[in-house]
Amino acid sequence: MLESILAALVVFLVFGFFGLAIGWWTLAAAALLFYLSSVMAFSGVTNVVLASLFIAVAAVLNVRWLRRKVLTDRILAVYRRILPDMSQTEKEAIDAGTVWWDADLFSGKPDWNKLLAVPEPRLSPEEQAFLDGPVEELCAMCDEWEITHEHQDLPPRAWQFVKDKGFLGMIIPKQYGGLGFSALGHSAVVQKLATRSSTAAISVMVPNSLGPGELLLHYGTGEQKNHYLPRLAKGLEIPCFALTSPEAGSDAASIPDYGVVCRGVWQGKDVLGMRVTWDKRYITLGPIASLLGLAFRLYDPEGLIGGEKDLGITCALVPTNTPGVNIGRRHMPLNAAFQNGPNSGKDVFMPLDWIIGGREYAGKGWMMLMGCLAAGRAISLPTSAVGGAKALVRFVGAYARVRSQFKTPIGRLEGVEEALGRIAAHCYMMDATRIMTAGAVDRGEKPAVLSAIAKYHMTERARQCVNDGMDIVGGKGICLGPNNWIGRGHQIAPVAITVEGANILTRTLIIFGQGAIRCHPYVLREMRAAKELQGEEASREFDDAFTSHAGHVLRNGIRTFVLSLFPGLGPAPRNAAADTKHYYRHVSRLSAAFAFLADISMLAMGGALKRKEKISGRLGDVLSMMYLVSATLKRYEDQGRIKADLPLVRWAVRDALHRAQEAIEGILSNFPVKSVATLLRWIIFPRGKRLRPPLDSRNRECARIALEPGATRDRLTAGMYLPKGEHATAVLEAAFLAAVAGEPIDKKLREARKQGLDPENALSVLSPEELAQWQRKEALRKQVIKVDDFPQDFDRAELALDAKAHVAAKAA
Ligand SMILES: Cc1cc2nc3c(=O)[nH]c(=O)nc-3n(C[C@H](O)[C@H](O)[C@H](O)COP(=O)(O)OP(=O)(O)OC[C@H]3O[C@@H](n4cnc5c(N)ncnc54)[C@H](O)[C@@H]3O)c2cc1C
């Protein structure tokens, strides 16, 4: 009897694991019932009752028409009542963009072979030539200390170069005179600039992100495209995009800025136009923009262009020399020098033709913004974060080898090693994510959820890397000046955290909130059936989505349990490297657990889950960690499984897997229904929490990569600007190489001193060549550890004199 029940359990687990259709379950249940009735010798009446019950339940579950009438139509009615109404802006945000690998991770059964079959994204020869030519030149022109301290802007020569070489039109197709770069090419340019000057990177990234260029490409009228795109491509226009208002930051859809449709005089003619009033702040490039992309709410109280009085958010292109437009004042974002400031206008009259896409697109601004958000968000900030991390690996690693304390390069002290190894491993994972996400954009995806993951996690990791870097560099990182190559990066890190969707909101509201609806195989279909369809059509669609959803939950629950008991059963790609195969299996298990947990959370908390941001944030973390691990494993495969990179892969993957496990633990510990949490814990962790954080020995291997000159360090920091000339970072690199090459000489000197020689006389044990090499190394080392100091008034008097002389010269 016991054996039979166990056998039945195994059969059901197998059916659930492979997600077999309801018919198979019914057959198996019938067989079990038949067996039980014969073994237990039920009476005739009991048999008849049991058989009738079984037939009734089986009929309801298997006969679609009956199931709808008895079951799913009733559920649909309840669902309609409890499903909160969605605003138009929420609908547009959810409809925006596409889903790709995120949908696989959400399914509980990611198809690894599909992921690994995606070709590795590559730069075109033209993009590479641009990186080796103009980008290299622009980097050489930029000295971040001069920019931030002296010019408070890019130098005029650099600005002109940016415009002339087409940096502002990388995403504009060639037919309009732009560079027509791929997302990967665009990302490579921003990354390289970010390794040298965040001011240059931001100034270039903004016009290539969400703004006039991108909006015109997708929605502009022919006339608008032909007029503006060539001008934007050639830098004849400096664009900005103004959405944020003092009253509407994160909740950007609630902007109070408004326009009213009316008649007015434009260039001597009476035309239909709008009178627009706005007050914006934080607008990047705003103070120097010639073309203002402006978002406002458009009203048509007199019905001059249509039926609706409140047409909704509208985007227009406003030349900033239009009378009534106020620009020019600047904010000072943490001492960074990129142009950023407020702008405003009161009752500024403008023709309807200025609406992007013309009057047909009046009121469609939110849809346009949401539709275009993903591409820019996938590139700009994630990429500059990677640039920052690469610069940190190279410079902090070099510094940790040059700087010694306790007679040891600080990079070899375990505490420092820990922080340095973290920077190196994060950098590998961040670069892998950059490349996979940009590749997705190039294949036509508009990755709404993946771009949010990339934005959030890359900027957070960059912040952690720069914090680690600052700790390693110590006082030298704190005292600003031309010799400090890290302080400005540390100051500016929060900017990336706040812009393009502030990070707390991105984590807690977008990644899971949007992902759950968008990537889930059935939730959106159920919602549409409930809210958008009627009658028979709604009933059929809901029945299909709901029953598939129920099967999906059951399958994922069983898969989670089985894969937790037997991790070796987790799917992995056919041809994955032996070194990394188990990581794929872990993600397969986490994916099933995540999908199951997401469904149970939605079921248990319903609409309230939206407000339970601590839970939805952690669900988002699990999804994000799986994405980051996928990108890292794919990168390892794409690059041909380079063994020397394996420590970076291992540390980064184990760290992310462990974080995912801890996020699940956080959800279970705080789950509002305790009995459900206990059940979930049995299913998800039947053998306890088995994922461990990365080992210290791996961390050491990662730190060594940053501490040793060579191919692995070069590969990890590939694509960055390698400093030249007298710049502090060029001296650092030279000092690093000299320190490594000079270690045998240092050893000889140490031994001489152990024999009792004083520092001066110990030098006599060196040959003339060794002495020269040691002296050069020492000179470089001293330069590297040097910290800037300034006169009492920080040269203000001198600067004031210079300014006076400048004014006098101008007047003359
Ligand atoms: C340097 C800089 C450049 C910028 N460039 C531009 C630009 O070019 N164009 C433009 O239009 N805007 C720009 N912005 C604006 C930027 O997009 C906003 O700063 C951002 O949207 C956040 O708005 P806020 O600063 O008003 O913060 P708030 O909206 O006041 O948010 C404060 C905090 O609350 C959190 N929060 C808010 N709502 C929620 C929620 N529902 N759940 C959880 N947490 C929440 C946020 O995450 C944040 O941590 C820029 C900002 C800066 C600082």
Side-chain angles (χ1 to χ4, degrees):
M1 177 72 173
L2 187 66
E3 279 166 8
S4 316
I5 291 177
L6 280 178
L9 196 68
V10 170
V11 168
F12 283 117
L13 285 179
V14 170
F15 279 22
F17 190 85
F18 291 105
L20 293 196
I22 184 78
W24 289 102
W25 288 83
T26 313
L27 274 180
L32 180 64
L33 202 62
F34 182 74
Y35 175 77
L36 285 177
S37 103
S38 55
V39 171
M40 300 185 79
F42 292 143
S43 69
V45 178
T46 313
N47 274 334
V48 170
V49 171
L50 278 178
S52 314
L53 265 176
F54 177 79
I55 290 169
V57 173
V60 168
L61 292 180
N62 285 278
V63 181
R64 182 173 293 185
W65 175 84
L66 199 59
R67 185 173 63 216
R68 278 170 38 208
K69 296 298 154 208
V70 176
L71 197 63
T72 53
D73 278 0
R74 287 160 203 254
I75 298 173
L76 174 60
V78 177
Y79 191 62
R80 276 188 170 137
R81 270 203 310 279
I82 59 172
L83 186 67
D85 279 331
M86 238 192 230
S87 68
Q88 188 57 25
T89 47
E90 277 176 304
K91 254 193 217 150
E92 281 167 353
I94 281 173
D95 285 344
T98 58
V99 293
W100 170 55
W101 187 243
D102 36 349
D104 267 73
L105 294 172
F106 236 102
S107 72
K109 212 178 161 192
D111 181 351
W112 293 112
N113 294 318
K114 180 179 90 179
L115 180 73
L116 294 193
V118 172
E120 183 193 3
R122 285 184 189 274
L123 295 169
S124 71
E126 200 180 337
E127 289 164 345
Q128 190 59 56
F130 191 76
L131 286 161
D132 297 339
V135 182
E136 189 80 9
E137 265 186 80
L138 178 58
C139 287
M141 280 179 208
C142 295
D143 178 316
E144 197 62 358
W145 174 251
E146 276 173 28
I147 290 173
T148 53
H149 187 67
E150 289 163 24
H151 305 292
Q152 272 101 39
D153 195 358
L154 283 181
R157 193 165 73 94
W159 260 122
Q160 200 52 50
F161 189 79
V162 162
K163 294 175 190 172
D164 293 346
K165 296 292 175 185
F167 278 88
L168 303 184
M170 281 189 282
I171 59 163
I172 297 178
K174 288 190 175 149
Q175 68 183 103
Y176 295 108
L179 295 177
F181 279 177
S182 64
L184 187 72
H186 167 196
S187 153
V189 172
V190 172
Q191 170 184 258
K192 188 163 184 172
L193 292 176
T195 62
R196 177 65 166 178
S197 156
S198 53
T199 313
I202 294 171
S203 304
V204 163
M205 100 183 37
V206 166
N208 289 292
S209 192
L210 179 58
E214 178 87 3
L215 291 170
L216 279 170
L217 280 171
H218 286 92
Y219 304 104
T221 61
E223 205 176 324
Q224 288 171 336
K225 284 183 184 171
N226 290 334
H227 177 71
Y228 280 122
L229 289 177
R231 295 179 59 76
L232 287 166
K234 292 274 165 281
L236 301 175
E237 300 280 3
I238 301 272
C240 70
F241 192 78
L243 174 64
T244 306
S245 297
E247 300 297 340
S250 301
D251 185 11
S254 69
I255 38 173
D257 314 286
Y258 65 96
V260 178
V261 179
C262 60
R263 298 207 71 85
V265 177
W266 182 250
Q267 294 180 335
K269 285 190 199 141
D270 179 61
V271 296
L272 200 52
M274 28 189 197
R275 218 166 268 294
V276 186
T277 297
W278 74 95
D279 178 18
K280 303 288 192 183
R281 66 177 180 186
Y282 305 145
I283 308 308
T284 304
L285 296 187
I288 55 161
S290 62
L291 186 63
L292 169 68
L294 186 63
F296 54 90
R297 210 169 179 94
L298 187 60
Y299 296 89
D300 184 13
E302 296 173 39
L304 296 175
I305 61 169
E308 295 285 322
K309 288 202 160 115
D310 176 358
L311 290 162
I313 292 175
T314 300
C315 298
L317 288 181
V318 183
T320 55
N321 58 8
T322 307
V325 176
N326 302 310
I327 63 158
R329 291 188 65 80
R330 291 178 74 172
H331 300 304
M332 197 189 275
L334 292 171
N335 268 358
F338 63 90
Q339 293 281 346
N340 181 277
N343 62 68
S344 62
K346 174 126 184 57
D347 291 333
V348 177
F349 183 78
M350 52 188 82
L352 284 181
D353 299 351
W354 287 10
I355 294 174
I356 301 177
R359 75 167 71 173
E360 266 174 55
Y361 279 83
K364 299 203 172 140
W366 195 250
M367 175 278 290
M368 292 157 69
L369 292 174
M370 291 300 107
C372 292
L373 179 67
R377 188 169 61 189
I379 309 291
S380 307
L381 294 160
T383 288
S384 46
V386 181
K390 286 189 173 177
L392 287 166
V393 168
R394 206 153 181 114
F395 302 148
V396 176
Y399 185 79
R401 188 80 187 252
V402 173
R403 172 74 172 163
S404 285
Q405 290 291 282
F406 303 99
K407 300 196 179 80
T408 313
I410 56 168
R412 296 217 174 105
L413 304 169
E414 277 213 4
V416 172
E417 190 179 79
E418 190 175 10
L420 187 60
R422 241 185 339 243
I423 298 177
H426 280 330
C427 181
Y428 186 94
M429 183 169 255
M430 289 165 72
D431 201 27
T433 310
R434 172 185 79 85
I435 291 168
M436 183 151 129
T437 314
V441 174
D442 280 332
R443 287 193 318 281
E445 301 293 345
K446 288 182 177 176
V449 178
L450 296 182
S451 65
I453 293 176
K455 192 272 165 175
Y456 174 79
H457 288 279
M458 318 271 272
T459 54
E460 287 295 339
R461 273 158 198 253
R463 173 154 71 173
Q464 190 183 352
C465 288
V466 78
N467 282 344
D468 279 336
M470 286 292 288
D471 292 352
I472 294 174
V473 177
K476 169 145 178 118
I478 288 167
C479 298
L480 291 172
N483 277 303
N484 182 341
W485 34 262
I486 187 170
R488 288 297 196 209
H490 179 252
Q491 276 182 306
I492 205 178
V495 171
I497 303 287
T498 297
V499 301
E500 289 201 15
N503 272 10
I504 296 181
L505 169 134
T506 302
R507 170 173 177 259
T508 55
L509 211 64
I510 300 181
I511 296 178
F512 179 75
Q514 204 171 348
I517 300 177
R518 211 41 235 277
C519 305
H520 193 287
Y522 306 110
V523 164
L524 195 56
R525 281 181 60 199
E526 287 163 349
M527 286 171 67
R528 290 221 162 107
K531 290 287 174 187
E532 290 170 23
L533 305 179
Q534 294 301 329
E536 201 51 15
E537 199 186 356
S539 162
R540 275 214 198 98
E541 174 66 2
F542 186 81
D543 173 74
D544 193 42
F546 182 82
T547 48
S548 309
H549 191 163
H552 174 78
V553 176
L554 187 66
R555 188 198 71 181
N556 280 326
I558 291 175
R559 284 179 74 82
T560 305
F561 183 68
V562 172
L563 294 180
S564 300
L565 284 180
F566 309 106
L569 291 180
R574 275 187 303 275
N575 305 322
D579 293 321
T580 54
K581 212 162 198 161
H582 56 297
Y583 297 137
Y584 294 91
R585 298 195 198 288
H586 284 310
V587 179
S588 294
R589 177 173 75 79
L590 282 173
S591 169
F594 165 74
F596 182 59
L597 193 51
D599 270 316
I600 300 297
S601 302
M602 286 190 271
L603 192 70
M605 287 172 250
L609 182 55
K610 196 172 155 183
R611 290 185 302 279
K612 292 243 167 240
E613 293 187 349
K614 292 174 195 162
I615 298 284
S616 64
R618 290 184 180 111
L619 283 165
D621 290 345
V622 184
L623 177 64
S624 304
M625 291 308 125
M626 291 190 291
Y627 180 60
L628 267 53
V629 171
S630 306
T632 307
L633 295 175
K634 173 145 174 59
R635 184 88 189 122
Y636 183 64
E637 288 295 323
D638 282 350
Q639 287 198 316
R641 304 176 187 173
I642 302 169
K643 286 272 182 216
D645 294 347
L646 205 49
L648 300 164
V649 175
R650 284 182 163 150
W651 193 96
V653 166
R654 276 188 81 151
D655 173 64
L657 291 173
H658 184 251
R659 286 184 196 213
Q661 174 184 271
E662 292 311 296
I664 294 179
E665 171 60 42
I667 298 166
L668 297 180
S669 301
N670 295 286
F671 207 79
V673 191
K674 293 299 165 205
S675 49
V676 176
T678 308
L679 187 66
L680 284 170
R681 198 183 287 284
W682 285 343
I683 295 173
I684 297 174
F685 298 130
R687 294 168 67 192
K689 292 187 290 167
R690 299 179 66 82
L691 293 165
R692 302 273 169 256
L695 297 173
D696 287 350
S697 52
R698 294 268 176 266
N699 166 268
R700 164 164 298 174
E701 290 166 347
C702 295
R704 290 268 157 88
I705 289 171
L707 288 169
E708 289 296 334
T712 313
R713 175 179 182 254
D714 289 347
R715 200 166 39 251
L716 182 58
T717 56
M720 72 173 281
Y721 174 73
L722 294 180
K724 296 172 187 70
E726 301 295 304
H727 193 271
T729 51
V731 175
L732 174 61
E733 183 78 9
F736 168 61
L737 297 177
V740 174
E743 274 185 359
I745 304 176
D746 283 337
K747 194 170 168 215
K748 216 169 170 182
L749 282 175
R750 268 198 309 277
E751 272 157 18
R753 280 184 212 151
K754 269 191 208 153
Q755 308 298 323
L757 291 177
D758 62 54
E760 196 64 38
N761 281 321
L763 294 177
S764 63
V765 302
L766 303 182
S767 69
E769 294 77 29
E770 284 174 332
L771 183 62
Q773 189 183 341
W774 182 82
Q775 282 167 336
R776 181 174 171 274
K777 182 212 82 169
E778 275 298 286
L780 287 165
R781 186 184 67 78
K782 286 209 154 59
Q783 228 178 314
V784 161
I785 64 167
K786 185 170 171 272
V787 164
D788 300 288
D789 46 47
F790 301 90
Q792 271 289 323
D793 70 344
F794 286 100
D795 281 332
R796 279 216 181 86
E798 205 175 303
L799 287 171
L801 274 180
D802 280 355
K804 263 190 186 164
H806 180 70
V807 171
K810 243 183 149 182

